[in-house]
C-alpha cells in the first residue's frame, strides 16, 4: 500500500472524540472526554513535561488504549501516553520533540498548522484523517484535536484512532471494494448519527451541570447574604411554620433558632393591632403575593417594638405556593427620632409649649365648623412688658428662667381647657375654643394679667413683669388662620400703645390704624432717598441776659411733600424699625452744616442742640460719627450740644459714661433731655460728664402755685445748681410759667412764648434781627 493512496488531514468538523474508544472494540461504555478534559483546567502553575505526567489528566490519558498527545503553543509535544510507544520503543522519546517533525508529514505541515491555530483561537474541537508517524512507524488514523487550558497556558490535545489495518484490508480486498465502501459508508453514517446523538446528550448534560452549579453557587451566595444581613429574615412554609431564620432575626427578637423553628409567626403578635389589621394584611398578601408596612411585634422579653416588615410569597415552577419570606428592620430608634423631630417641629424647646406651627394647626381645627357671626372661641396674644430690661440687667439666662416660669403659670391656669403657645421671645398665644362670652373672655384676660403680675424669684431676687394682651374672637374677627393671627397681633399692639399692662379687643378701627401704620413705615423707608425730611430750629433764651443763646434742631417730615407727620408718630416708628440710626446721622450732619453756615454768614455764634437716640448711642462708632460730622464742615465742637433722655443715659450708665466722656474731651456739650420722666436721680447723674438738665415740659405746663409740679421743679433747679449743672425749662408758653422759672433762678428756657420751631431761613432772620428776648431776667 502506498502512502499517497491516503488523504492527508482531511478535516471532519464533528468531534468524534467521545466515540473513538467504543466502536473499535474497546470498552462499550461511553467515555465523556469533555468531562475528562475539565479535570485539570483549574490547576494553576506552569506545566512542564513532568508536570503533566503527574496530574490527574496525565494519569487518565495513560489509561487510554489509543495514542494521545499534548502539544503546546510552540508546537512541542509536552506529553505522549503509553499507547504512543510499543514494546521496543519508549513513549517518552516523543515528549519534547516538535509536532511537525515527528508526527506530521512535512507536506501536511501547513494544513496542520492552520488547524492548530484555528483550534487555539476558536477553541472548538476538530477531527481529521491523516497519515501520521509514531515511534513504531507510520500510522494511518483519525486524529481528534481540541483546545485545553493547562494552568495559565493553552495547549492542543491530540487523540489518534488507528485505521491502518482497515485501510490495508480495503486495498487488499479490492474485489470487495464496493461492499466495503458501502459498509464503511453505512458505518460512517451510524457513527456520525451516534456521534451526533452523544454530542447532543453531552451538550444537554453540560447545560444541566452548569445550571446546577450556578444554582448551587447562587444558593450559597444567597445563604451568605442572608446570614450577614443586618435585617431580620424569616422563612416559613406554605402553612406558616417557621423553617429558617438568620442571626439578625435572633438578635432583634431575642429568640434562638432552635426555640423558634416550626412555630407560627403569631407568637410575636402584639396587642397594638386589631384582627381586621391582620386579616387585611393576609388578604393583600394572598392577592398580590407581597405585603409591606409598619407593624408592632413582641420580643421574647415581652417588650413591644415597631418594625418595618416586607413579606413575599415564593412559588415553584408549577406556580404552587411553597414558602413565605419576611424581611424586617427594628425601627425603634427611627421612631424615637421621628418623635424628637416632631416635637422640635411643633414644640418650643425652652418651655415645652406648642410653637407657632402647632398653634396654627390647632386654630385650623378650631375653625372647622365655626361659621356665622357668633363667637365660637378666643385667641389671645400676650406680650411681656419691658422684658428686654431683664435680659439687659440680669442676663439672658435669667430672662429664660422668667420665660419658663411664665409658661408654667399659663399651663397650670389653662389646664385642659385651652392651648398656651410660645410664639417668640417673650410673646405667647392662648387659644380658648368654645368661649363665646365676651365678659368671660375679658375676665380671663384680667386673671392672666394678675397671674403674671406676681413676682418671679430669679437667682434669689424678686423680678416683676406686666403684660399686654390682644384679643380676637373667631370666626367673627378672622374666619381664616392668618387673618385671626393678624387681628390678635393688631389688638396686642393697640394694648401696648394704650400704656401696657392692659388688654384690648380687636376692632375694625384698630385694623385700619395698623394698616395706616404699615403704610407709614413703608413711606418712612423711602423718605431719606426722597429728601422728605427737614430740620426746624427752636430758640433757647438765657434768663440772665434775656438774649437768645442757643437752639434745638427738631426733625420734621412732610409725607410726599404734603401733610406733616408729628414727632410723636415719627420718632417711635423710626425707633421700632431701626431707621432712627440713619435718620439720626442725617440730622447730626444737617445741623452741623447749618450751624457752620450761620458762622460763615457772620452771625453771632449759636450753639445747636441735636437729639441723640438710644440706638445711636449704642453704636460702637458713634463717637467717630459725631467727630466726622464736625470735621466735614469744620465746626467748633463748642457749638454742638448733644441731648439725650435720662432713660437712655441710665440704661447702661457705665458704657454711656465712656462715650459721653469722649464727647466732652472734644469740647462738645452734653444735656439730659426730658428730665423728671425717668429715673430722676440727679445724684447719680452727677457722676456723668453732663453740662445741663432740661426739665420736661409736662412739669412746666401743669405748673400751678402750690402744686406738686411746682415743688418738683424747684427741687430740680436747686439740686442741679448745687451739682454744677445748668437748667433749661422746656415748653414755656405763658408769662406765669416764665415768671416762676426766672424767680427760681432757672438758667434758660424754650417754648412757644419765645418762638415756635421755625425753618432755617426764618431762624436766620431771628439771628440777624435779634428779636428773641425774654421780658424777664433774674439779674
Amino acid at each position: 500500500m502506498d502512502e499517497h493512496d491516503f488523504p492527508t488531514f482531511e478535516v471532519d468538523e464533528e468531534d468524534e472524540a467521545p466515540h473513538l474508544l467504543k466502536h473499535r472494540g474497546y470498552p462499550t461504555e461511553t467515555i465523556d472526554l469533555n468531562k475528562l478534559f475539565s479535570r485539570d483546567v483549574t490547576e494553576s502553575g506552569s506545566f512542564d513535561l513532568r508536570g503533566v505526567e503527574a496530574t490527574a489528566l496525565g494519569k487518565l490519558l495513560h489509561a487510554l488504549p489509543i495514542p494521545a498527545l499534548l502539544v503546546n503553543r510552540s508546537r512541542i509535544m509536552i506529553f505522549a501516553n503509553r499507547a504512543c510507544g510499543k514494546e521496543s520503543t519508549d513513549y517518552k522519546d516523543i515528549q519534547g520533540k516538535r509536532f511537525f517533525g515527528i508526527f506530521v508529514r512535512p507536506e501536511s505541515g501547513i494544513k496542520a498548522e492552520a488547524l492548530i491555530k484555528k483550534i487555539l483561537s476558536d477553541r472548538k474541537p476538530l477531527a481529521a484523517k491523516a497519515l501520521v508517524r509514531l515511534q513504531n512507524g507510520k500510522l494511518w488514523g483519525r486524529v481528534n484535536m481540541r483546545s485545553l487550558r493547562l494552568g495559565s497556558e493553552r495547549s492542543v490535545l491530540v487523540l489518534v484512532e488507528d485505521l491502518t489495518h482497515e485501510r490495508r484490508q480495503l486495498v487488499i480486498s479490492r474485489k470487495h471494494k464496493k461492499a466495503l465502501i458501502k459498509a464503511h459508508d453505512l458505518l460512517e453514517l451510524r457513527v456520525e448519527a451516534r456521534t451526533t446523538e452523544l454530542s447532543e446528550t453531552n451538550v444537554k448534560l453540560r447545560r444541566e451541570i452548569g445550571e446546577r452549579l450556578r444554582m448551587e453557587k447562587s444558593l450559597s451566595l444567597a445563604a451568605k447574604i442572608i446570614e450577614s444581613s443586618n435585617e431580620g429574615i424569616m422563612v416559613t412554609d406554605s402553612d406558616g411554620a417557621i423553617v429558617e431564620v438568620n442571626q439578625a432575626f435572633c438578635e432583634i427578637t431575642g429568640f434562638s433558632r432552635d426555640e423558634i423553628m416550626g412555630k407560627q409567626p403569631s407568637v410575636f403578635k402584639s396587642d397594638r393591632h386589631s384582627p381586621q389589621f391582620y386579616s387585611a394584611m393576609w388578604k393583600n398578601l394572598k392577592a398580590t403575593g407581597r405585603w409591606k408596612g409598619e407593624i408592632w411585634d413582641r420580643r421574647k422579653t415581652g417588650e413591644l417594638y415597631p418594625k418595618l416588615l416586607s413579606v413575599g410569597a415564593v412559588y415553584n415552577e408549577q406556580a404552587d405556593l411553597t414558602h413565605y419570606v419576611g424581611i424586617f428592620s427594628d425601627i425603634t430608634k427611627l421612631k424615637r427620632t421621628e418623635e424628637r423631630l416632631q416635637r422640635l417641629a411643633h414644640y418650643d424647646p425652652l418651655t415645652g409649649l406648642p410653637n407657632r406651627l402647632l398653634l396654627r394647626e390647632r386654630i385650623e381645627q378650631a375653625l372647622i365648623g365655626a361659621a356665622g357671626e357668633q363667637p365660637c372661641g378666643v385667641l389671645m396674644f400676650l406680650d411681656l412688658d419691658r422684658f428686654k430690661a431683664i435680659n439687659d440687667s440680669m442676663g439672658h439666662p435669667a430672662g429664660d428662667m422668667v420665660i419658663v416660669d411664665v409658661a408654667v403659670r399659663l399651663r397650670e391656669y389653662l389646664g385642659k381647657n385651652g392651648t398656651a403657645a410660645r410664639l417668640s421671645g417673650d410673646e405667647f398665644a392662648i387659644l380658648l375654643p368654645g368661649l363665646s362670652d365676651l365678659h368671660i373672655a375679658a375676665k380671663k384676660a384680667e386673671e392672666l394679667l394678675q397671674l403674671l403680675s406676681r413676682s418671679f424669684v430669679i437667682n434669689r431676687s424678686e423680678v416683676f413683669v406686666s403684660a399686654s394682651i390682644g384679643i380676637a374672637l373667631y370666626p367673627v374677627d378672622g374666619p381664616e388662620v392668618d387673618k385671626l393671627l393678624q387681628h390678635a397681633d393688631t389688638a396686642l399692639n393697640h394694648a401696648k400703645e394704650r400704656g401696657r399692662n392692659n388688654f384690648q379687643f380687636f376692632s375694625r378701627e384698630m385694623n385700619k390704624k395698623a394698616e395706616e401704620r404699615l403704610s407709614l413705615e413703608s413711606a418712612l423707608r423711602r423718605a431719606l432717598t426722597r429728601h422728605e425730611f427737614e430740620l426746624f430750629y427752636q430758640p433757647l433764651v438765657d434768663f440772665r441776659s434775656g438774649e437768645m443763646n442757643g437752639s434745638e434742631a427738631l426733625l420734621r417730615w412732610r409725607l410726599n411733600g404734603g401733610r406733616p407727620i408729628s414727632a410723636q408718630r415719627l420718632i417711635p416708628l423710626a425707633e421700632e424699625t431701626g431707621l432712627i440710626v440713619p435718620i439720626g446721622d442725617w440730622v447730626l450732619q444737617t445741623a452741623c452744616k447749618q450751624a457752620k453756615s450761620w458762622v460763615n454768614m457772620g452771625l453771632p455764634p449759636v450753639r445747636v442742640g441735636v437729639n441723640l437716640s438710644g440706638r445711636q448711642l449704642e453704636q460702637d462708632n458713634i463717637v467717630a460719627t459725631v467727630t466726622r460730622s464736625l470735621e466735614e464742615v469744620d465746626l467748633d465742637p463748642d457749638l454742638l450740644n448733644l441731648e439725650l433722655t435720662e432713660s437712655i443715659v441710665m440704661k447702661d450708665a457705665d458704657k454711656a459714661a465712656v462715650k459721653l466722656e469722649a464727647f466732652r474731651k472734644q469740647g462738645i456739650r452734653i444735656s439730659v433731655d426730658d428730665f423728671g420722666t425717668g429715673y430722676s436721680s440727679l445724684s447719680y447723674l452727677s457722676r456723668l460728664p453732663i453740662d445741663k438738665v432740661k426739665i420736661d415740659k409736662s412739669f412746666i405746663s401743669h405748673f400751678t402755685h402750690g402744686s406738686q409740679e411746682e415743688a418738683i421743679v424747684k427741687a430740680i433747679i436747686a439740686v442741679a445748681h448745687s451739682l454744677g449743672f445748668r437748667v433749661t425749662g422746656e415748653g414755656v408758653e405763658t408769662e406765669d410759667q416764665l415768671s416762676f422759672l426766672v424767680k427760681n433762678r432757672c438758667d434758660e428756657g424754650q417754648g412757644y412764648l419765645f418762638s415756635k420751631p421755625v425753618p432755617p431761613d426764618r431762624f436766620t432772620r431771628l439771628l440777624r434781627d435779634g428779636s428773641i428776648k425774654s421780658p424777664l431776667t433774674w439779674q
Side-chain angles (χ1 to χ4, degrees):
M1 182 181 66
D2 191 350
E3 297 179 355
H4 298 286
D5 292 337
F6 299 130
T8 301
F9 275 93
E10 190 176 289
V11 178
D12 184 352
E13 292 294 340
E14 295 188 12
D15 182 5
E16 298 190 10
H19 306 276
L20 290 179
L21 306 180
K22 182 177 179 182
H23 74 281
R24 293 301 301 150
Y26 297 115
T28 56
E29 70 272 15
T30 299
I31 296 178
D32 188 346
L33 293 179
N34 292 303
K35 181 184 292 187
L36 177 120
F37 298 156
S38 66
R39 299 286 183 114
D40 287 84
V41 296
T42 58
E43 294 187 16
S44 62
S46 174
F47 284 82
D48 54 15
L49 302 182
R50 201 172 0 173
V52 178
E53 188 81 22
T55 63
L57 176 62
K59 293 176 183 179
L60 288 172
L61 292 178
H62 273 307
L64 295 178
I66 62 173
L69 298 168
L70 284 175
V71 181
N72 66 13
R73 288 183 174 274
S74 300
R75 313 303 185 255
I76 301 300
M77 294 182 287
I78 63 172
F79 176 87
N81 71 348
R82 294 186 182 93
C84 290
K86 294 297 181 181
E87 296 178 0
S88 60
T89 304
D90 190 351
Y91 67 93
K92 294 183 180 180
D93 293 339
I94 299 174
Q95 297 178 355
K97 296 181 180 179
R98 290 188 59 80
F99 178 64
F100 294 119
I102 300 298
F103 191 76
V104 182
R105 290 170 59 184
E107 61 269 24
S108 302
I110 296 175
K111 188 176 292 186
E113 174 65 16
L115 287 175
I116 289 178
K117 285 184 177 180
K118 180 175 179 63
I119 291 169
L120 289 174
S121 60
D122 295 347
R123 300 178 187 176
K124 293 182 178 179
L126 289 173
K129 300 180 183 70
L131 184 62
V132 298
R133 293 191 184 95
L134 296 178
Q135 289 286 47
N136 58 337
K138 298 181 177 65
L139 172 67
W140 171 261
R142 181 183 298 276
V143 180
N144 184 281
M145 294 185 287
R146 64 169 293 150
S147 172
L148 185 66
R149 182 168 64 85
L150 297 176
S152 60
E153 300 178 355
R154 187 164 292 279
S155 302
V156 178
L157 174 63
V158 182
L159 299 175
V160 182
E161 181 187 9
D162 186 358
L163 300 178
T164 307
H165 177 73
E166 284 79 355
R167 282 288 185 180
R168 287 174 178 170
Q169 286 295 108
L170 183 63
V171 173
I172 295 171
S173 307
R174 288 183 180 276
K175 61 181 178 179
H176 302 298
K177 184 175 182 179
K178 291 183 179 179
L180 289 174
I181 292 174
K182 184 177 180 179
H184 181 267
D185 289 343
L186 180 60
L187 180 60
E188 288 280 341
L189 289 173
R190 290 178 62 187
V191 170
E192 185 177 352
R194 183 60 176 162
T195 301
T196 301
E197 179 183 349
L198 290 177
S199 179
E200 291 176 352
T201 302
N202 187 39
V203 171
K204 184 177 180 181
L205 286 173
R206 280 190 295 175
R207 186 183 300 116
E208 289 179 355
I209 291 171
E211 187 65 30
R212 183 173 298 175
L213 289 174
R214 282 193 296 272
M215 186 176 295
E216 289 177 356
K217 185 177 180 181
S218 178
L219 289 174
S220 176
L221 180 61
K224 291 179 180 178
I225 293 174
I226 289 173
E227 193 57 32
S228 63
S229 173
N230 291 326
E231 296 181 314
I233 299 177
M234 175 183 67
V235 182
T236 72
D237 60 20
S238 58
D239 296 325
I242 299 173
V243 297
E244 191 59 75
V245 296
N246 68 345
Q247 182 61 31
F249 172 95
C250 299
E251 293 173 357
I252 294 173
T253 64
F255 289 95
S256 68
R257 187 177 184 279
D258 294 337
E259 288 176 324
I260 209 65
M261 284 295 104
K263 295 186 178 180
Q264 295 286 326
S266 57
V267 299
F268 312 120
K269 186 181 293 185
S270 69
D271 56 359
R272 288 289 190 96
H273 305 289
S274 65
Q276 291 79 10
F277 172 84
Y278 294 104
S279 176
M281 182 182 77
W282 281 104
K283 182 178 180 181
N284 186 74
L285 181 58
K286 291 179 179 180
T288 64
R290 61 184 64 252
W291 182 88
K292 184 176 182 180
E294 290 185 12
I295 189 170
W296 284 81
D297 269 357
R298 190 184 303 276
R299 305 186 204 271
K300 181 181 178 180
T301 60
E303 176 194 358
L304 299 184
Y305 71 101
K307 68 183 185 182
L308 183 62
L309 173 64
S310 178
V311 183
V314 181
Y315 300 89
N316 60 17
E317 294 179 355
Q318 291 73 38
D320 297 326
L321 176 67
T322 60
H323 296 86
Y324 291 106
V325 178
I327 303 175
F328 64 92
S329 300
D330 184 350
I331 57 174
T332 303
K333 292 182 179 179
L334 179 62
K335 283 290 185 183
R336 289 172 181 168
T337 301
E338 286 180 353
E339 290 174 0
R340 286 197 297 270
L341 292 175
Q342 184 78 357
R343 185 159 189 84
L344 289 173
H346 291 88
Y347 290 88
D348 173 55
L350 177 63
T351 64
L353 293 178
N355 61 11
R356 186 181 293 271
L357 180 61
L358 183 55
L359 176 67
R360 287 182 64 91
E361 293 179 3
R362 294 189 178 179
I363 293 174
E364 287 174 355
Q365 291 296 320
L367 288 175
I368 294 175
E373 298 181 357
Q374 296 300 318
C376 296
V378 169
L379 176 65
M380 297 183 183
F381 270 22
L382 184 152
D383 188 78
L384 302 181
D385 298 331
R386 298 182 179 88
F387 177 74
K388 189 174 183 295
I390 297 176
N391 281 333
D392 292 343
S393 60
M394 302 182 67
H396 287 278
D400 288 345
M401 294 172 67
V402 172
I403 293 295
V404 171
D405 206 347
V406 169
V408 171
R409 294 187 190 185
L410 293 179
R411 191 184 289 114
E412 291 177 351
Y413 173 77
L414 293 175
K416 297 182 179 180
N417 298 322
T419 296
R422 185 187 182 205
L423 304 182
S424 64
D426 60 340
E427 190 173 19
F428 297 83
I430 297 169
L431 181 66
L432 299 171
L435 184 60
S436 58
D437 192 314
L438 297 180
H439 297 291
I440 296 178
K443 183 179 179 182
K444 287 190 173 295
E446 289 177 352
E447 291 173 351
L448 286 170
L449 292 177
Q450 293 175 5
L451 178 71
L452 298 178
S453 66
R454 300 202 309 262
S455 65
F456 297 86
V457 179
I458 306 299
N459 298 330
R460 299 181 181 180
S461 298
E462 276 193 318
V463 175
F464 293 89
V465 298
S466 60
S468 301
I469 299 176
I471 307 173
L473 309 176
Y474 65 84
V476 181
D477 293 334
E480 300 174 355
V481 177
D482 290 330
K483 280 292 183 184
L484 188 64
L485 292 170
Q486 175 189 342
H487 291 166
D489 192 41
T490 299
L492 173 63
N493 290 331
H494 189 62
K496 291 179 181 179
E497 293 173 358
R498 293 290 297 270
R500 304 177 186 271
N501 195 26
N502 71 98
F503 65 88
Q504 295 293 322
F505 284 91
F506 171 78
S507 66
R508 301 299 172 187
E509 291 74 18
M510 286 183 194
N511 195 47
K512 182 179 179 182
K513 185 177 180 181
E515 290 175 354
E516 290 177 352
R517 185 185 181 281
L518 184 61
S519 176
L520 189 64
E521 179 181 335
S522 299
L524 181 61
R525 294 184 181 278
R526 298 188 297 266
L528 269 175
T529 57
R530 293 183 176 182
H531 307 290
E532 293 179 348
F533 293 122
E534 57 182 328
L535 288 184
F536 279 36
Y537 298 87
Q538 188 172 32
L540 275 72
V541 176
D542 185 274
F543 292 156
R544 197 181 284 270
S545 64
E547 301 291 336
M548 181 170 56
N549 70 334
S551 66
E552 181 180 1
L554 300 170
L555 183 63
R556 294 291 183 266
W557 177 30
R558 292 188 178 275
L559 182 59
N560 298 325
R563 59 185 177 85
I565 304 299
S566 66
Q568 287 75 16
R569 295 182 65 190
L570 170 59
I571 300 303
L573 183 60
E575 289 276 5
E576 292 175 17
T577 59
L579 294 172
I580 192 67
V581 174
I583 293 174
D585 292 345
W586 178 87
V587 170
L588 178 64
Q589 294 167 7
T590 304
C592 289
K593 288 179 182 178
Q594 185 60 60
K596 183 63 176 180
S597 69
W598 287 328
V599 172
N600 293 339
M601 292 179 190
L603 298 173
V606 58
R607 184 176 294 118
V608 62
V610 175
N611 291 282
L612 208 62
S613 69
R615 288 280 188 93
Q616 285 178 282
L617 189 63
E618 290 172 357
Q619 300 295 308
D620 293 336
N621 63 342
I622 183 60
V623 176
T625 299
V626 173
T627 302
R628 185 172 59 253
S629 297
L630 291 169
E631 291 176 348
E632 285 178 352
V633 296
D634 192 24
L635 181 66
D636 185 353
D638 185 59
L639 295 180
L640 176 62
N641 179 58
L642 295 179
E643 299 188 8
L644 303 95
T645 63
E646 60 175 318
S647 59
I648 292 174
V649 174
M650 299 301 294
K651 182 179 179 181
D652 191 340
D654 294 334
K655 287 185 178 180
V658 174
K659 294 176 181 179
L660 296 183
E661 185 62 40
F663 293 139
R664 280 289 297 272
K665 287 182 178 179
Q666 294 186 52
I668 300 170
R669 302 298 181 96
I670 307 296
S671 298
V672 175
D673 199 10
D674 300 334
F675 187 81
T677 59
Y679 292 87
S680 302
S681 175
L682 276 169
S683 61
Y684 197 91
L685 287 177
S686 65
R687 306 176 192 175
L688 300 175
I690 61 176
D691 298 289
K692 67 179 177 181
V693 296
K694 300 179 73 174
I695 302 173
D696 187 72
K697 64 180 180 180
S698 62
F699 295 103
I700 307 299
S701 59
H702 293 93
F703 153 76
T704 55
H705 293 290
S707 65
Q708 185 179 10
E709 285 78 6
E710 179 184 26
I712 291 174
V713 171
K714 287 181 178 180
I716 291 174
I717 295 173
V719 175
H721 282 164
S722 67
L723 296 173
F725 299 152
R726 287 177 59 82
V727 181
T728 302
E730 293 185 297
V732 181
E733 297 180 355
T734 66
E735 294 287 347
D736 286 342
Q737 295 168 358
L738 174 61
S739 177
F740 167 71
L741 291 173
V742 170
K743 182 179 179 181
N744 286 279
R745 308 184 75 78
C746 182
D747 297 290
E748 59 187 17
Q750 69 181 96
Y752 281 14
L753 180 62
F754 311 114
S755 172
K756 295 180 178 181
V758 294
D761 55 343
R762 289 183 57 186
F763 193 87
T764 301
R765 289 199 295 270
L766 294 176
L767 284 175
R768 280 200 180 99
D769 299 342
S771 55
I772 299 297
K773 291 185 179 181
S774 171
L776 298 173
T777 63
W778 52 277
Q779 290 291 344

